[in-house]
Amino acid sequence: MSDATQYPLEPNPEQVRLMGEAVLAFVEDFLRDLPELPAFDPARSAALAGALREPAPELGSPLSGLLSTLHAAARDGAASAGPGYLAYVPGGGLYAAALADFLTAAMNKYVTVWQLAPACAQIEATAVRWLCDLFGYPEEARGILTSGGSMANFSAIVTARVARLGESFLDGTVYVTDQTHASCAKAALLAGLPRAHVRAVPAGPDLGMAPDALARMIADDRRAGLRPFLVIGSAGTTNTGAIDPLAELAAVAGKAGAWFHVDAAYGGPFQLTERGRARLRGIELADSITLDPHKALFLPYGTGALLVRDGALLRQAHHMDAAYLQDLGDEDDIPNFTEYSPELTRDFRGLRLWLPIKLHGLDAFRQALDEKLDLAELVHDTLRKNGFEVPWRPSLTAVAFRWVPEEGDADAFNAELLRRVTARGRALLSSTRIDGRYMIRVCVVSHRTHRDRVEELLDIVSETCAALRAEHLA
């Protein structure tokens, strides 16, 4: 047993218990208060952040005082774990996943080389296999858990580049749309592709990539001496949740010999639902798929995933021998995750996916996702009924809308409408531009968002819009 006086970094069992109880009480209070916290409260942010700029202390401080500081920090800014966080593509952060992270940090297992923690590495491999099964991927498929969709897209593009272009790749071309997540174009640049070789394919009225336009652009680039090697489809864009015609894009990419990657960071988990499977038809044909379980599987931020149909190609793109690893054997039934990823050292991410699924079962996630699809339909139908312009019926759970005033600047009107709705503190929405128009977005993803909060939001939007219109007419 350690002596906490002589070794302050090693608390004794009694101290461990007391510290744990204090942290648990903090979490209980936070989760209890979360539904009533302001969805966004920027007023105190600058002062609080400024107070936290300080030199590193030589001596320690009591945990109780530090938790008081964190109490304020947890309530600062956006309540991103709460039911009113309806901006961007939110994820609520399951309590079970928080427990998993606590266990992960305490065990501190090194899982990227399987021999050092076979059971934990297998837990992660099993969780990745569950994701592969969701899309009907074969046994030879492999995947990695990443810090998020951006890193997953990066590894996907590197894998496609190596598999389709080899060592000489500067003449390769990539195909996206103006609705594709910006991380895809960014990842292509980081993977060494020239900026001009990331092509924006026109989208149709539904904001999905047009297969005919894609085929023409590929043919034109090939005639120009370039090598089209990668088509990136979207299974849920950030702007509206639009889903590209995945089966048709897979056919065009296959005919061209190009890799077909699907960015399903937002939409992928909806494959669990009947409606989701119908709308994501063709995703199973992808060579690789990006997922963000910290979105529609409700896990804490920092949980992304990349799945690759031919796992050997993922390993080929990332594996490199090192003499200091020679004591560790090759992978057997359990993969060495370091051979499939840019990362050699990182946390045991698999437990935060494995534990909630084992604890709650897939059906609990399916029911929650079906509820979010229903709530998005409610938002769409209610806003249209109340006179708002809502151009696109939601494929997933994002709805873009605006009010078109009889006269005056529609963009300025809607920007002020968004500001006033946010100022009410019950919901945080976001804005975007689509086809040059300023649009307000609501995106229902958090597992803590239910019908009562959505109906309250719709009332706030309608009341605020009516008041703003009256001011303009006065």
Side-chain angles (χ1 to χ4, degrees):
M1 184 180 299
S2 66
D3 182 340
T5 303
Q6 184 178 0
Y7 304 109
L9 301 182
E10 301 177 46
N12 62 40
E14 176 67 10
Q15 290 172 314
V16 167
R17 182 183 63 78
L18 291 174
M19 292 166 70
E21 289 176 350
V23 170
L24 179 59
F26 172 97
V27 173
E28 288 175 338
D29 289 345
F30 174 71
L31 293 180
R32 181 198 63 223
D33 298 342
L34 187 56
E36 300 308 317
L37 293 179
F40 185 52
D41 183 12
R44 297 180 304 126
S45 296
L48 179 58
L52 293 172
R53 298 187 186 102
E54 58 181 343
E58 283 296 323
L59 300 177
S61 303
L63 178 60
S64 58
L66 301 177
L67 289 177
S68 295
T69 299
L70 292 176
H71 179 276
R75 288 154 175 77
D76 178 54
S80 52
Y85 189 77
L86 302 167
Y88 311 106
V89 185
L94 288 171
Y95 179 64
L99 295 178
D101 278 358
F102 178 79
L103 293 168
T104 291
M107 292 189 293
N108 200 31
K109 287 288 190 178
Y110 187 89
V111 298
T112 60
V113 178
W114 74 267
Q115 284 180 309
L116 297 178
C120 291
Q122 182 59 65
I123 285 174
E124 184 154 322
T126 297
V128 170
R129 184 63 240 176
W130 291 340
L131 298 179
C132 289
D133 289 343
L134 186 58
F135 301 98
Y137 265 18
E139 285 301 313
E140 60 268 23
R142 289 288 184 272
I144 52 170
L145 298 182
T146 68
S147 60
S150 295
M151 284 304 300
N153 284 329
F154 174 72
S155 276
I157 290 173
V158 169
T159 302
R161 191 199 72 196
V162 172
R164 294 292 189 266
L165 299 179
E167 293 291 324
S168 178
F169 55 79
L170 292 180
D171 57 351
T173 51
V174 181
Y175 302 88
V176 297
T177 73
D178 64 354
Q179 299 297 305
T180 305
H181 197 277
S183 67
C184 293
K186 182 177 181 179
L189 299 179
L190 294 175
L193 279 302
R195 187 182 297 269
H197 288 190
V198 180
R199 303 283 202 248
V201 180
D206 61 354
L207 303 182
M209 184 184 291
D212 291 345
L214 171 64
R216 287 194 299 271
M217 292 179 71
I218 288 175
D220 289 345
D221 283 340
R222 182 167 285 123
R223 281 193 294 270
L226 300 173
R227 287 193 290 167
F229 82 99
L230 174 61
V231 175
I232 301 178
S234 295
T237 63
T238 300
N239 273 343
T240 65
I243 299 171
D244 287 335
L246 301 177
E248 290 84 349
L249 297 185
V252 174
K255 184 176 179 180
W259 186 281
F260 182 44
H261 174 65
V262 175
D263 181 357
Y266 167 23
F270 287 91
Q271 182 82 354
L272 282 168
T273 70
E274 183 177 346
R275 283 174 286 181
R277 283 192 300 276
R279 295 168 188 176
L280 296 173
R281 182 184 65 85
I283 194 171
E284 70 282 356
L285 303 173
D287 294 295
S288 54
I289 301 171
T290 283
L291 297 172
D292 264 350
H294 65 216
K295 292 187 172 78
L297 285 178
F298 321 122
L299 300 189
Y301 291 123
T303 317
L306 172 64
L307 312 177
V308 178
R309 173 182 295 279
D310 185 344
L313 296 178
L314 177 62
R315 185 175 185 271
Q316 177 187 344
H318 292 84
H319 178 49
M320 185 169 288
D321 289 319
Y324 47 79
L325 296 176
Q326 65 184 6
D327 297 333
L328 303 174
D330 296 332
E331 67 178 33
D332 191 3
D333 290 335
I334 308 172
N336 285 325
F337 291 112
T338 184
E339 297 175 2
Y340 295 84
S341 165
E343 297 177 295
L344 177 60
T345 303
R346 47 95 165 163
D347 61 329
F348 174 22
R349 293 185 183 123
L351 193 61
R352 67 168 64 160
L353 178 60
W354 181 89
L355 183 62
I357 292 176
K358 289 287 288 185
L359 184 65
H360 300 300
L362 286 179
D363 189 59
F365 291 88
R366 182 178 297 109
Q367 290 183 38
L369 291 171
D370 270 322
E371 178 194 29
K372 307 316 163 195
L373 292 170
D374 291 341
L375 292 175
E377 293 286 346
L378 174 65
V379 171
H380 173 273
D381 294 347
T382 303
L383 289 172
R384 288 198 67 182
K385 183 180 68 175
N386 291 343
F388 288 85
E389 180 180 276
V390 195
W392 303 280
R393 178 168 287 279
S395 297
L396 295 173
T397 61
V399 181
F401 68 95
R402 68 174 186 159
W403 183 266
V404 182
E406 293 181 3
E407 57 183 39
D409 186 340
D411 287 0
F413 183 97
N414 284 281
E416 178 62 14
L417 174 60
L418 175 60
R419 188 193 68 78
R420 294 189 186 191
V421 168
T422 297
R424 294 282 293 270
R426 296 299 290 166
L428 177 63
L429 309 184
S430 63
S431 68
T432 189
R433 283 194 176 273
I434 304 175
D435 295 334
R437 291 173 290 178
Y438 183 101
M439 306 292 294
I440 301 173
R441 289 179 65 263
V442 55
C443 189
V444 188
V445 175
S446 173
H447 64 287
R448 296 188 175 98
T449 302
H450 305 295
R451 189 181 183 100
D452 58 342
R453 184 60 64 101
V454 170
E455 289 181 337
E456 182 181 3
L457 164 67
L458 292 169
D459 288 342
I460 290 172
V461 169
S462 293
E463 293 166 6
T464 306
C465 184
L468 189 55
R469 288 161 52 205
E471 291 177 20
H472 277 234
L473 293 174

